[in-house]
Amino acid sequence: MPRLKPRIIEMAVILLWGLACWIFFQFFYQYHFFYQEQNQLFLHTSDYLATYFQKPGWLACMTGDFLTQLYYYRFAGPVVLTFTLLVMGDLLRRAFGRIGKGAWGFWAAIALMTLEAIFFLHYSHRLSSALAVILGTLLFLVYTTTSRMHAIAKVVIGLGLGLIAYRTAGYGWMVYALLATAYGLVRKSTARWWAPVFAALVIIAAPTLTNRHYLLNTAANLTYPGIGRPCLPETELETTLAINNEYYFGQWSKVEKMVEDEPAPNELMLFFYNLVKAQKGELPDHLLRYVPNQLGSFYKIGPDIPLPIINNMNELYWVLGDMTLTERAAMMTNVFAPNNRNVRMVKRLAECNIVSGDTLAANKYLRILDHTLAYREWAGNARKGVGIEELNRKKAFVNHEDTIRVTDNLHMVMMELLDTNPDNVVALDYILCSTLLLKDIESFKRDYDRYCIATGKARVKPLYQQALMIWLAGSNASEEEWKKYITDQEQLHRFNEYSQHRGDPRFNDTYWYYFDTAKAPEI
Amino acid sequence: MKHRLYTHTLLAVIATIVLTLAACTPTPENAQESGSLPPVYPDYTEVTIPRNIAPLNFLLRDDVEAVETRAVCGDEEIVVNAKGNTVCFDLGEWKDLMEKAAGHQVEVRVTALKDGKWTAYRPFHWTVTNDSIDPYLTYRLIEPDYEVYQNLTLQERCLENFDERSISNYGLVGNRCMNCHTYGSQNPNLSMLYVRGEGGGAILNRDGHLSKLNIKTKDMVSGSVYFGFSPNGRYIVFSTNWIIPAFHAKPSKRLEVFDSKSDVYVADLESNTILRSELLCDSTVYETFPTFSPDGKSIYFCASPKVELPMELKEMRYSLCRIAFDERTGTIGTEVDTLVNGPADSLSVCHPRISPDNRYLVYTVADYGTFPIWHQETDLRIMDLATGKVDEMKAVNSDKSDTYHSWASNSRWMVFASKRDDGLYGKPYFCYIDSQGKAHKPFVLPQENPHFYDNNLKSFNAPEIGKGPLPFDAMDVKRAVDREPVNFE
């Protein structure tokens, strides 16, 4: 059997590596890319691009962020990342080939590509970081073309390229200096002394010379935009992001399926599940499916709340129809996003101001979106009133009465929304379900009377019937009252049966069982 | 010979490129006269500007293909021909024009190309004053919220050009809250800013030497919030405020912030002691927004009778008050004068600031409360301290929040934060107060790229005018924060 040529083996390894990388990120990690994409706001304007010059590694960061905006499109993220890593590997292979002979360079490049790919398992690792390595390596390859030049020219060019690496590639200067040092040592060229000297100069000079200019501390200055760290696959976060993003894309059935397929969905997953169910009018039918459950209505936004929760709160307020709190949560998501920029939140700010009729504020955000790649079409259409039917529908939900809320107590907020618009079924179900989760039967009954009985719009759901029976039984209500509230005879029959067997798991789908056995959330 | 050939070829290529580019910028032909003003942004039409201001670059809010702008004063003229909708002046040419135009008007003629047709808009004017403005401005850049922050920075901007730098930055002091930078009598060698959080404090700048002060004592409800220097720089008067955030249900009103407790104190920066007066720390009154008069003889502040909060928030109305102060002995007076009665006039007074010549007092009025930046009805008013006459500054105010003003040292210029563009993001506007006390139409801080404000997502917070560049930078502030504080008793 003839032996395969090393070149063919290498090509096959690269092909397989690239395929494996793409398959992994495409089919098992694609939602991490949406997180990266939304947490920036890349504008195609000269003044925005100029801001990249304020930090080290402007070229790596600008190119990385430019490519990251493409992650908006499904399939783009894994393709961009795989291609970037392959380019990085190829350049490293070439660089190692200039340093010494043998196959070690190929395998070392594969190892470094793999390490960089592992860094990308962390949700916050930026594409710019891989590009920093690429630029540093590229500049080293440029340096190696000086081999026939005079020694002084080599030193001058070497140092010059090093400074270019620091300025354009951020921590790519380290890659450049390491490669040049190795090259100098192996080839016994001038780089064996000037490259370490260059590295030492950067380390010594950066704190005194460039920290002041870049407004960074020394560690951040020398490693900008971030070297990365090994990380295990964030599988739970990937599922959470998947649910979050499929919700954003309007794929409600996917959200439901993903959550239902999870053996133990976390509270962020449940939050979106409930949002979907509420908008389908099914929240009371599924509230007790997961115990403990998470509606999001007990969160208080503040500096200590993690970003995903603030982000979720914005979705909840939006669905409920409270534009004051939607705007605030969107602002706060922006505040806590890297560089205080989140493109989805800018879109949301435009949306909520369109709903509340604040044209000046809406135009502010639409103008910004005009300068993005993926959102400019939406902005143009929104300005013409195209594709914003949902926004127009929400206008009926906006509060007309002004009250002052000292806290973001969502119960009060939902009451105000229901007072403005009693047909706001989502707010109705959230207010009733929230009190039921807390086992606050008195408040439930008060709200039910106010928004279902007084308005003549009784909401007959097994969950509510069961809760009303607890109140009726507890208050020794008259038969007339029982008749007034309880119309579902099957539930009445089950209630009588449950009363004989309190706490029996056969009734674990009922509110009575929850009331007797579950622990109410602490608020 | 060969070298010379290369050089000539290179020059020819460059010349061709330059000529081609120049030829590509269209110039007006057969322009149709229009009776309307050009849709310029920022609104720089009919504004009054100081002779030393940076170029008022602007854009046309229209989808135009090219624009020609002629700024004319006598025989001095600047012509800007540009493709697109952006008009940017050359700094050198602008300076020459401003020197010639000082005390006169500049006529600005804009002609724009749209759909292949040129339109000559009605000219507008810039009134250029002989009175210069102090050339530096400091401000905080922050998202328009109030209780959360991330990546804060305090900036200093030269008003005569577009140079800007950070004087305190999150990248160096950690992600801390930072509050307003305030000068003493517009003097860059006397100023203070706050870096909050553990290990933070008031960073006092005296001739570039920075020290960290811990002004808070046990009896105070909070650290110092609003403050001002006495003329000799020995004292600061400051308020301590227990601040409560709240929200309006109606989206157009957005946020509300009020004090549930507040008092006013004086700190002696030489003896590191606090001067107290029961008249400024009355438990039945909320006292806030203190400032010294420029002669050092009075402390002006705002005060509201205590109300039940938040139920009676809309009844929380602050009056403009004054109490005597002796700068020589450090003695606070024994009587409070009320200059504007908030509850009686159904308005709430905030942020009194007195012109350095002690002639005019500008303050903010809102319907109620103590946080005018989120009250769209907030306007500035000017009081002639010699006559007590109050003017509503109609040429200056907008239908959005106009507040947080600060004077220039010549008492002719004032800066304030206005949300007139979008109701959300505060921007620094400058207005001229002439010798008769008349306020002129203000203009927003010019930017090198006139699209800047469109793309910016930060509010310009608490702008302050200074006579010169500050003698420290963000790295110096970082070092000061790392020092041990000077404690007050």
Side-chain angles (χ1 to χ4, degrees):
Chain A
M1 190 173 161
R3 284 184 64 189
L4 286 172
K5 288 181 180 173
R7 183 77 184 145
I8 293 175
I9 293 173
E10 287 178 6
M11 290 295 287
V13 168
I14 290 169
L15 199 67
L16 285 172
W17 192 98
L19 199 62
C21 179
W22 177 75
I23 287 171
F24 174 78
F25 282 106
Q26 178 61 57
F27 296 105
F28 302 100
Y29 231 61
Q30 59 171 308
Y31 294 98
H32 272 61
F33 292 95
F34 292 122
Y35 179 85
Q36 293 257 336
E37 181 269 334
Q38 66 178 276
N39 275 298
Q40 67 167 34
L41 177 63
F42 191 89
L43 300 182
H44 296 223
T45 65
S46 57
D47 56 332
Y48 172 70
L49 295 179
T51 61
Y52 282 93
F53 297 108
Q54 294 167 3
K55 298 287 179 215
W58 67 267
L59 188 55
C61 293
M62 190 190 288
T63 314
D65 291 354
F66 175 82
L67 292 172
T68 301
Q69 69 177 327
L70 303 177
Y71 292 0
Y72 173 82
Y73 304 102
R74 283 186 191 254
F75 311 113
V79 170
V80 168
L81 179 61
T82 305
F83 181 73
T84 304
L85 291 172
L86 287 173
V87 169
M88 180 182 141
D90 186 52
L91 289 173
L92 284 170
R93 179 186 64 81
R94 288 168 193 272
F96 295 146
R98 303 277 166 94
I99 292 169
K101 290 184 178 171
W104 69 270
F106 174 80
W107 295 107
I110 292 286
L112 289 173
M113 280 163 71
T114 309
L115 183 64
E116 186 69 32
I118 290 170
F119 291 168
F120 276 98
L121 295 177
H122 195 270
Y123 68 93
S124 69
H125 191 59
R126 294 172 63 187
L127 191 66
S128 321
S129 295
L131 292 169
V133 178
I134 288 176
L135 283 172
T137 311
L138 201 58
L139 287 164
F140 165 73
L141 289 170
V142 172
Y143 170 73
T144 58
T145 62
T146 64
S147 58
R148 292 187 180 176
M149 288 185 185
H150 188 275
I152 295 175
K154 277 197 236 180
V155 173
V156 171
I157 291 171
L159 291 172
L161 289 172
L163 290 174
I164 291 171
Y166 173 64
R167 190 71 188 90
T168 62
Y171 87 92
W173 73 268
M174 286 188 204
V175 177
Y176 173 81
L178 282 170
L179 289 171
T181 306
Y183 179 79
L185 289 170
V186 174
R187 299 290 183 104
K188 295 190 171 57
S189 80
T190 53
R192 71 179 183 279
W193 63 265
W194 70 252
V197 168
F198 163 72
L201 281 175
V202 171
I203 292 166
I204 293 166
T208 49
L209 293 180
T210 58
N211 281 9
R212 193 181 286 266
H213 173 69
Y214 289 132
L215 300 168
L216 292 171
N217 62 43
T218 303
N221 186 348
L222 294 176
T223 59
Y224 205 82
I227 293 177
R229 59 172 187 264
C231 169
L232 290 171
E234 300 168 326
T235 48
E236 185 177 343
L237 179 63
E238 172 67 11
T239 312
T240 306
L241 291 173
I243 290 163
N244 180 327
N245 281 286
E246 292 301 350
Y247 175 82
Y248 177 79
F249 293 128
Q251 301 292 323
W252 287 0
S253 53
K254 266 192 178 181
V255 172
E256 290 169 305
K257 186 170 184 319
M258 279 192 280
V259 176
E260 285 164 7
D261 286 350
E262 272 295 303
N266 64 30
E267 61 178 65
L268 292 172
M269 297 173 190
L270 292 175
F271 172 86
F272 282 104
Y273 184 76
N274 290 325
L275 266 187
V276 168
K277 292 297 184 191
Q279 289 171 90
K280 290 169 79 175
E282 299 171 3
L283 184 62
D285 305 324
H286 293 82
L287 184 73
L288 302 180
R289 180 173 182 143
Y290 298 99
V291 179
N293 207 336
Q294 181 52 263
L295 292 172
S297 45
F298 308 130
Y299 287 133
K300 300 271 190 298
I301 291 189
D304 302 327
I305 295 287
L307 180 61
I309 291 178
I310 294 175
N311 201 348
N312 293 350
M313 294 309 291
N314 148 69
E315 290 296 345
L316 177 57
Y317 297 141
W318 174 249
V319 166
L320 291 173
D322 191 287
M323 293 306 123
T324 304
L325 293 180
T326 300
E327 184 182 66
R328 177 173 178 249
M331 286 266 186
M332 290 176 74
T333 308
N334 258 331
V335 167
F336 291 116
N339 296 318
N340 313 127
R341 297 165 80 85
N342 179 303
V343 66
R344 279 191 196 172
M345 289 307 112
V346 172
K347 184 180 173 215
R348 176 51 50 82
L349 287 166
E351 288 173 329
C352 67
N353 280 295
I354 290 171
V355 171
S356 57
D358 192 337
T359 312
L360 285 175
N363 279 337
K364 159 88 185 171
Y365 299 112
L366 292 175
R367 275 191 210 107
I368 290 176
L369 294 174
D370 283 340
H371 297 298
T372 62
L373 182 71
Y375 300 82
R376 68 163 65 120
E377 189 181 345
W378 179 86
N381 285 337
R383 207 174 271 119
K384 292 180 213 152
V386 177
I388 55 168
E389 294 74 18
E390 189 202 355
L391 276 56
N392 290 330
R393 189 176 54 79
K394 278 188 181 294
K395 287 180 182 175
F397 289 31
V398 172
N399 269 319
H400 300 303
E401 297 300 318
D402 188 32
T403 55
I404 291 169
R405 308 156 176 168
V406 180
T407 68
D408 45 356
N409 178 338
L410 208 53
H411 196 101
M412 295 300 296
V413 172
M414 290 189 286
M415 285 179 76
E416 287 165 1
L417 288 167
L418 285 163
D419 289 341
T420 297
N421 182 358
D423 293 330
N424 189 339
V425 177
V426 175
L428 177 63
D429 280 340
Y430 262 95
I431 200 169
L432 295 176
C433 288
S434 298
T435 49
L436 290 183
L437 279 188
L438 292 173
K439 301 187 189 177
D440 184 354
I441 297 293
E442 287 298 323
S443 298
F444 166 79
K445 170 69 170 42
R446 182 200 62 210
D447 294 337
Y448 192 86
D449 279 347
R450 183 168 173 159
Y451 300 115
C452 298
I453 301 296
T455 58
K457 295 174 179 173
R459 187 148 172 79
V460 181
K461 290 278 184 182
L463 179 77
Y464 299 157
Q465 292 275 293
Q466 291 162 11
L468 286 167
M469 287 179 212
I470 292 177
W471 185 86
L472 291 164
S475 60
N476 294 320
S478 65
E479 196 174 332
E480 257 185 31
E481 276 194 290
W482 277 85
K483 279 184 183 165
K484 179 181 167 190
Y485 287 102
I486 306 303
T487 54
D488 187 338
Q489 295 308 309
E490 188 193 333
Q491 295 304 323
L492 191 58
H493 175 73
R494 284 195 81 194
F495 179 68
N496 290 330
E497 199 181 337
Y498 180 77
S499 302
Q500 309 300 317
H501 307 91
R502 287 186 74 160
D504 188 332
R506 283 185 298 138
F507 295 87
N508 66 3
D509 62 330
T510 68
Y511 187 68
W512 311 309
Y513 183 81
Y514 174 86
F515 191 80
D516 279 345
T517 62
K519 186 171 180 277
E522 288 176 11
I523 57 171
Chain B
M1 183 69 184
K2 199 175 176 182
H3 177 72
R4 189 178 294 171
L5 183 65
Y6 282 145
T7 310
H8 286 171
T9 308
L10 188 64
L11 285 174
V13 168
I14 291 170
T16 308
I17 291 169
V18 170
L19 287 172
T20 308
L21 286 174
C24 286
T25 306
T27 49
E29 288 172 16
N30 304 319
Q32 289 224 320
E33 297 285 330
S34 164
S36 57
L37 285 170
V40 298
Y41 178 81
D43 180 7
Y44 285 148
T45 59
E46 310 302 333
V47 293
T48 301
I49 59 175
R51 62 193 296 171
N52 60 331
I53 194 70
L56 300 193
N57 296 338
F58 61 84
L59 58 86
L60 294 191
R61 274 266 190 262
D62 201 356
D63 203 9
V64 300
E65 295 141 40
V67 59
E68 181 188 85
T69 302
R70 290 174 179 272
V72 187
C73 180
D75 55 359
E76 187 77 23
E77 182 182 49
I78 305 179
V79 183
V80 177
N81 281 293
K83 282 203 275 186
N85 66 343
T86 305
V87 177
C88 294
F89 297 95
D90 174 78
L91 183 60
E93 288 181 354
W94 175 268
K95 292 285 173 201
D96 292 344
L97 177 70
M98 288 297 107
E99 277 309 303
K100 294 267 169 57
H104 305 284
Q105 276 200 329
V106 174
E107 184 171 278
V108 187
R109 301 170 195 152
V110 178
T111 312
L113 178 65
K114 185 178 179 185
D115 300 330
K117 289 179 186 167
W118 285 95
T119 302
Y121 291 99
R122 181 152 64 90
F124 60 89
H125 303 89
W126 294 327
T127 303
V128 185
T129 65
N130 274 315
D131 295 310
S132 299
I133 190 166
D134 294 334
Y136 286 86
L137 182 76
T138 61
Y139 43 85
R140 178 172 67 162
L141 291 178
I142 186 172
E143 277 75 13
D145 211 309
Y146 52 89
E147 60 166 343
V148 293
Y149 56 87
Q150 179 101 317
N151 303 0
L152 290 187
T153 174
L154 302 185
Q155 301 288 105
E156 180 189 68
R157 161 77 192 268
C158 179
L159 299 177
E160 297 180 336
N161 51 45
F162 301 106
D163 292 347
E164 188 189 25
R165 69 186 179 111
S166 185
I167 54 170
S168 187
N169 189 278
Y170 68 93
L172 294 173
V173 296
N175 188 30
R176 292 161 179 275
C177 184
M178 289 179 264
N179 291 85
C180 326
H181 170 267
T182 300
Y183 298 95
S185 308
Q186 296 79 35
N187 177 5
N189 290 315
L190 177 65
S191 69
M192 199 161 86
L193 60 92
Y194 284 105
V195 178
R196 307 284 186 188
E198 197 177 337
I203 307 297
L204 175 69
N205 152 44
R206 272 196 196 280
D207 301 319
H209 173 73
L210 301 187
S211 51
K212 185 167 82 173
L213 313 179
N214 175 19
I215 299 171
K216 186 178 182 312
T217 56
K218 282 181 186 169
D219 58 331
M220 294 178 187
V221 297
S222 74
S224 155
V225 178
Y226 305 106
F227 70 95
F229 283 93
S230 68
N232 67 9
R234 175 170 174 173
Y235 303 98
I236 60 164
V237 61
F238 64 97
S239 66
T240 59
N241 308 61
W242 191 257
I243 296 168
I244 306 289
F247 316 93
H248 284 276
K250 210 171 177 179
S252 59
K253 288 184 172 273
R254 296 189 168 94
L255 306 178
E256 185 67 63
V257 180
F258 55 88
D259 296 338
S260 63
K261 289 175 186 173
S262 64
D263 293 311
V264 165
Y265 301 89
V266 175
D268 184 339
L269 301 178
E270 279 185 16
S271 64
N272 301 333
T273 53
I274 303 293
L275 313 178
R276 296 169 173 84
S277 162
E278 285 184 1
L279 294 171
L280 297 176
C281 301
D282 188 335
S283 60
T284 64
V285 176
Y286 306 113
E287 302 93 348
T288 188
F289 301 129
T291 186
F292 281 107
S293 61
D295 59 9
K297 291 178 181 169
S298 310
I299 293 169
Y300 288 78
F301 63 101
C302 298
S304 162
K306 199 168 186 177
V307 294
E308 279 297 313
L309 292 170
M311 290 76 77
E312 296 176 342
L313 179 61
K314 292 188 178 176
E315 308 305 317
M316 186 189 209
R317 295 196 170 100
Y318 285 79
S319 298
L320 175 61
C321 302
R322 179 172 59 194
I323 191 167
F325 184 75
D326 187 333
E327 211 180 2
R328 193 171 45 82
T329 59
T331 314
I332 300 170
T334 53
E335 275 182 35
V336 173
D337 298 329
T338 301
L339 283 76
V340 177
N341 190 319
D345 295 347
S346 295
L347 52 82
S348 191
V349 178
C350 307
H351 297 292
R353 289 291 185 97
I354 301 146
S355 60
D357 62 5
N358 217 15
R359 175 77 195 272
Y360 298 107
L361 187 156
V362 172
Y363 56 95
T364 300
V365 290
D367 286 350
Y368 59 89
T370 178
F371 210 70
I373 202 155
W374 280 110
H375 278 242
Q376 304 292 22
E377 80 282 2
T378 297
D379 279 340
L380 298 168
R381 288 192 183 174
I382 187 167
M383 176 188 284
D384 186 332
L385 288 173
T387 63
K389 194 180 156 201
V390 174
D391 183 83
E392 292 189 354
M393 301 182 83
K394 285 190 173 158
V396 174
N397 290 310
S398 68
D399 59 353
K400 304 287 185 209
S401 168
D402 301 292
T403 183
Y404 273 99
H405 44 285
S406 149
W407 287 91
S409 61
N410 61 3
S411 303
R412 288 287 160 270
W413 286 98
M414 209 180 69
V415 65
F416 61 97
S418 176
K419 295 190 171 186
R420 63 190 60 194
D421 277 354
D422 48 43
L424 284 168
Y425 295 87
K427 303 179 183 78
Y429 276 74
F430 300 90
C431 97
Y432 183 62
I433 311 284
D434 64 26
S435 55
Q436 306 305 309
K438 185 186 165 206
H440 294 237
K441 183 179 173 183
F443 65 96
V444 72
L445 173 68
Q447 300 290 346
E448 190 162 22
N449 184 336
H451 291 275
F452 172 87
Y453 291 117
D454 278 350
N455 300 331
N456 177 45
L457 285 168
K458 304 269 186 183
S459 250
F460 286 71
N461 205 215
E464 290 261 340
I465 300 175
K467 285 188 282 195
L470 289 165
F472 64 88
D473 67 10
M475 186 62 89
D476 300 319
V477 171
K478 178 213 169 348
R479 290 187 187 123
V481 169
D482 291 341
R483 287 187 203 124
E484 285 300 308
V486 176
N487 291 309
F488 279 62
E489 295 168 1

